[in-house]
Amino acid sequence: MPPMVEIKHLRKEYKDLVAVKDLCLELEQGDIFGFIGPNGAGKTTTIKMLATLLAPTTGQAFINGVDVVKHPEQIRSIVGYMPDFFGVYDDIKVWEYLDFFAAAYRIPRDKRAQIIDDVLTLTDLVVKKDAYVESLSRGMKQRLCLAKTLVHDPKVMLLDEPASGLDPRARIEIRELLKELQAMGKTIIVSSHILPEMEEFCNKVGIIERGELIVAGDVNTIARQVRGQHNIEIGIVEEMERAEAILLGMSDL
């Protein structure tokens, strides 16, 4: 059985700029891959190539065994793409927004209502079904965008900075939702600037810089490599035995 996502020496050039350089990666079904790097590192370019929105200069990418370049229509039926910005949708209700995208994915009209209710339930937006999109908070708009990404039940989800600009509570809600999607068997690539944030829900991470994937693998292994070894000296003024007991009780020391 092929990997759910397989990237082979993927490269993207813009004249003299190399945005993505010789990127190789494999992900299995159910993986949540944290794609980490600063602005301009190549995260969005990679995600757009997998979403068939950009053509690679060289290299190959396969999703569920399907060639991204040769069969873009087939790829779009199994991939859900969430961009890093929501867009402007005035005078449209939440359910109308989802119905529009369901129609774009050629979902039959008689099945759309149930699908819309299902994704609203999953993203905890049922109470906002008849609200206007522009009235939603930033966090609710992010969840609505995620709901839109789910209407055609994709196998792979490509999420570009889904927690960008969210407050701590909204970030937690997005994180818990991604864990639930993983439990449903979705394979998820989620980009971010922050490694500690990815540790909380990703099982794999990769760090990209200047278009080159520096390191990728198990999240705990990568986190240890990035942090390295640190020696900390602590001086205790009193209650030595109590301090020792506390330190010995810390499993990660």
Side-chain angles (χ1 to χ4, degrees), residues 34-38 43 161 163-164 171 190-202 205 207:
F35 202 26
I36 302 162
K43 304 187 301 297
E161 303 273 3
S164 176
R171 284 175 176 267
V190 51
S191 69
S192 176
H193 302 279
I194 310 166
L195 176 57
E197 187 177 81
M198 295 291 99
E199 286 182 79
E200 297 179 11
F201 62 91
C202 294
V205 295
I207 298 175

Side-chain angles (χ1 to χ4, degrees), residues 2 12 16 37 45-46 49 59 63 70 72 81 95 117 121-122 129-130 160 167 178 196 205 211 216 218 230 247:
K12 181 62 179 179
D16 295 331
T45 299
T46 301
M49 286 191 285
I63 295 179
K70 292 181 180 178
Y81 169 59
W95 74 265
D117 286 344
T121 300
L122 183 61
K129 181 176 180 178
D130 291 309
D160 197 358
D167 60 39
L178 294 183
V205 295
D218 173 76
H230 299 282
L247 291 171

